[in-house]
Amino acid sequence: MELRNDNESSSFLKSVDWITIILYLIMVVAGAVSIYAATYNFDKTASMFDFSQFSGKQFVWAAASMVLGLVLLLIDRRVYEAYAYPIYAAMIFLLIVTIFIAPDIKGSRSWLQLGPMSLQPAEFAKCATALALAKLFDTYGFAFNNWKSYAIAVGIIVLPILCIILEKETGSALVYTSLIFVLYREGMSGFVLFTALCAITYFVVVLKFATVMIMGIPLGTFIVFIIIMVLVVGMLAFYCRSAILTRDVFLGYTISAVIVGTLAYYGIMINGYAYFFTVIGASMLYLVYGLFHDDVKRVSITIAFALLSVIFIFSVDMAFNNVLQPHQQRRIRVTLGIEEDPRGAGYNVNQSKIAIGSGGMWGKGFLQGTQTKLKYVPEQHTDFIFCTIGEEEGFAGATMVIVLFVALILRIITIAERQHTNFGRVYAYCVASILIFHLSINIGMVIGLCPVIGIPLPFFSYGGSSLWGFTFLLFILLRIDADRKAYGTW
């Protein structure tokens, strides 16, 4: 840490992005006030700053985070660059240690007890992973032009995911998948994102329509087979740009569908698995022939995509039943409307939607929310803090919270685009991606669009680990941005 003279200090203060700091302070204070509202008791009132209350503790965490932010701003940015990999390695080690020494809390081993405090290393590992990823892309000569580059970048992201899954904290692990958007921004093929979107679609459709049968197979599997056939034709037309292959495969699918439909009309039913394996298999064999006449690489990718898609269909049930915990399975089934469980897995979401809906346009007023005050919504001061805002401040207040987040994210993207180094740009996009994921999933699960997976709302949900984790992310970015003048022209 270097001492600065008066002129340097003045220049440094002017270089700090104060708009981002102001947005941060507004949200931190608003979060602590919302926690007070969520935990307020009509019969037993307490001061907002009572340290025995959640709001009082959050104000302590907030004050500490502001001091922490100041310290992070005073550290030379070169420290973050030089020690990015050691910081990442230390956090991975801590995550591994946590698996073995953390106490079992509601089936999860992700919290370390440090005297009267509990800290969750997974929250701090986000910053370490972002730094490591930024350092990788800042390495001389690094580019997404070979499998080794992809493997290293993906490995940096996957390693903390595996550690956190072993801690049985699946929700926190999913946050790291948002960093795939950073890889895309830095040159990763859009085909990877396309494949990920297809996998999510297959997973949802197979589960959603697993109980209805058609042609002897589940309707969900039937629909996904049709999707695969359509995607293969689309890829041949727009990705491989082969008119002949597109025509022949499309005609093959169409003729086979007409034949099967005709046979069904006369009461002759063909097993769905036999039909799809035969038709898709035949088209893949034909594409092998096409390898000798068209773009070998793109046709090969199309063949691999189709075969992996078919394999993925049969892995959905295994992954759903063996990887996910029973309570996670129920939450997904309830979210997809497969089953109703208003007093079990769906209770939180139902009560949350009632609370938000009862707020109307302008809300019931500060400390006047009945759903939250009467404790109908579990975890209302942590993961479900948004429903307190919706009930007491209404649609207007909830919209303002979203506007604050959008303003912060857009500001971070602006900071990212004005960086003169790969390190600064990649790190900034990592911060933006993590915030977008948290905002989308938290609000999505509160209003019933996403399964309940335990994702806090940044700066608003109660918890020192979460607040400190986001403070690390944001203020390291501000420190890196404050030195942009030294790395190029404005």
Side-chain angles (χ1 to χ4, degrees):
M1 192 182 300
E2 298 179 356
L3 296 176
R4 301 171 181 271
N5 59 38
D6 292 342
N7 290 333
E8 289 177 330
S9 298
S10 176
S11 176
F12 173 75
L13 290 175
K14 290 179 181 178
S15 299
V16 173
D17 194 272
W18 288 101
I19 295 176
T20 301
I21 292 179
I22 291 171
L23 289 171
Y24 166 82
L25 293 175
I26 291 173
M27 287 195 284
V28 169
V29 173
V33 172
S34 298
I35 290 169
Y36 176 69
T39 56
Y40 180 81
N41 192 322
F42 284 129
D43 301 324
K44 192 177 185 181
T45 60
S47 168
M48 186 182 298
F49 304 101
D50 186 342
F51 297 154
S52 66
Q53 304 297 312
F54 287 116
S55 60
K57 294 176 183 177
Q58 188 70 5
F59 272 113
V60 172
W61 285 114
S65 69
M66 293 173 193
V67 174
L68 174 63
L70 178 61
V71 172
L72 293 171
L73 285 176
L74 294 176
I75 298 175
D76 194 296
R77 68 166 283 162
R78 289 171 293 185
V79 172
Y80 300 124
E81 295 183 14
Y83 291 96
Y85 287 149
I87 291 172
Y88 176 78
M91 285 308 307
I92 294 298
F93 175 76
L94 185 59
L95 288 174
I96 294 173
V97 170
T98 302
I99 299 171
F100 299 100
I101 69 172
D104 191 319
I105 302 175
K106 297 182 180 179
S108 171
R109 291 183 176 274
S110 60
W111 292 87
L112 291 177
Q113 295 292 141
L114 302 175
M117 297 191 306
S118 296
L119 291 177
Q120 189 175 25
E123 293 293 337
F124 302 101
K126 298 171 190 174
C127 180
T129 305
L131 285 171
L133 208 56
K135 180 67 174 179
L136 175 67
F137 279 94
D138 199 46
T139 303
Y140 179 76
F142 180 85
F144 267 149
N145 53 14
N146 55 63
W147 285 107
K148 181 180 178 181
S149 299
Y150 277 95
I152 296 173
V154 172
I156 288 175
I157 298 173
V158 170
L159 190 54
I161 291 177
L162 294 177
C163 293
I164 296 170
I165 288 176
L166 291 175
E167 295 174 3
K168 298 184 179 179
E169 192 67 31
T170 309
S172 296
L174 289 175
V175 174
Y176 293 79
T177 61
S178 65
L179 298 177
I180 191 173
F181 294 106
V182 180
L183 304 188
Y184 175 69
R185 168 62 179 80
E186 295 303 313
M188 183 181 72
S189 171
F191 188 77
V192 177
L193 285 181
F194 171 74
T195 303
L197 179 62
C198 289
I200 294 171
T201 303
Y202 298 162
F203 185 85
V204 171
V205 173
V206 168
L207 288 181
K208 174 70 175 176
F209 304 102
T211 57
V212 180
M213 303 297 289
I214 180 172
M215 291 179 63
I217 65 176
L219 177 59
T221 302
F222 180 91
I223 293 173
V224 171
F225 272 125
I226 297 296
I227 292 174
I228 294 172
M229 294 167 68
V230 171
L231 290 177
V232 167
V233 173
M235 288 177 66
L236 291 174
F238 301 105
Y239 180 62
C240 299
R241 298 186 183 279
S242 174
I244 296 176
L245 292 180
T246 303
R247 179 200 64 194
D248 293 348
V249 172
F250 176 74
L251 285 176
Y253 288 158
T254 303
I255 292 171
S256 67
V258 170
I259 293 174
V260 170
T262 302
L263 292 174
Y265 179 78
Y266 289 102
I268 303 175
M269 298 299 297
I270 296 178
N271 180 269
Y273 288 123
Y275 167 68
F276 286 114
F277 280 138
T278 300
V279 175
I280 294 179
S283 67
M284 291 303 101
L285 290 175
Y286 176 69
L287 292 184
V288 171
Y289 162 78
L291 289 174
F292 300 96
H293 304 279
D294 287 274
D295 188 323
V296 174
K297 179 180 178 181
R298 298 194 176 211
V299 175
S300 299
I301 290 176
T302 303
I303 294 173
F305 172 81
L307 295 178
L308 290 175
S309 293
V310 173
I311 293 172
F312 185 83
I313 294 175
F314 297 98
S315 69
V316 170
D317 284 338
M318 181 183 70
F320 185 75
N321 293 317
N322 297 325
V323 176
L324 297 179
Q325 300 295 316
H327 68 279
Q328 294 170 333
Q329 296 174 19
R330 285 194 299 273
R331 289 172 179 174
I332 292 175
R333 285 195 292 265
V334 169
T335 301
L336 295 178
I338 299 173
E339 66 179 58
E340 296 290 334
D341 190 13
R343 294 185 179 276
Y347 179 80
N348 287 29
V349 175
N350 286 337
Q351 294 300 323
S352 175
K353 289 193 287 188
I354 291 172
I356 293 174
S358 67
M361 175 59 73
W362 305 110
K364 297 176 180 177
F366 184 59
L367 303 182
Q368 300 303 311
T370 54
Q371 288 293 117
T372 51
K373 299 302 167 294
L374 297 177
K375 315 300 180 187
Y376 284 109
V377 185
E379 310 298 335
Q380 60 194 9
H381 64 297
T382 54
D383 298 342
F384 282 79
I385 189 70
F386 190 73
C387 73
T388 300
I389 298 169
E391 182 181 23
E392 297 194 346
E393 312 305 329
F395 178 79
T399 301
M400 280 304 301
V401 170
I402 295 174
V403 167
L404 283 171
F405 274 106
V406 171
L408 178 62
I409 291 167
L410 290 177
R411 191 63 189 172
I412 292 172
I413 293 174
T414 299
I415 291 173
E417 289 300 320
R418 72 188 184 195
Q419 298 304 303
H420 300 289
T421 65
N422 290 336
F423 184 86
R425 184 183 65 252
V426 172
Y427 182 80
Y429 273 110
C430 286
V431 177
S433 297
I434 291 170
L435 281 173
I436 291 171
F437 187 91
H438 269 271
L439 176 66
S440 304
I441 300 302
N442 179 271
I443 294 180
M445 73 182 192
V446 168
I447 62 178
L449 295 180
C450 300
V452 178
I453 56 175
I455 297 292
L457 185 62
F459 312 118
F460 281 83
S461 293
Y462 172 77
S465 294
S466 174
L467 181 57
W468 277 25
F470 284 108
T471 299
F472 270 107
L473 278 168
L474 202 57
F475 278 83
I476 289 177
L477 172 61
L478 292 175
R479 184 63 186 89
I480 293 171
D481 179 61
D483 273 350
R484 67 189 181 278
K485 191 174 181 181
Y487 289 82
T489 57
W490 284 66

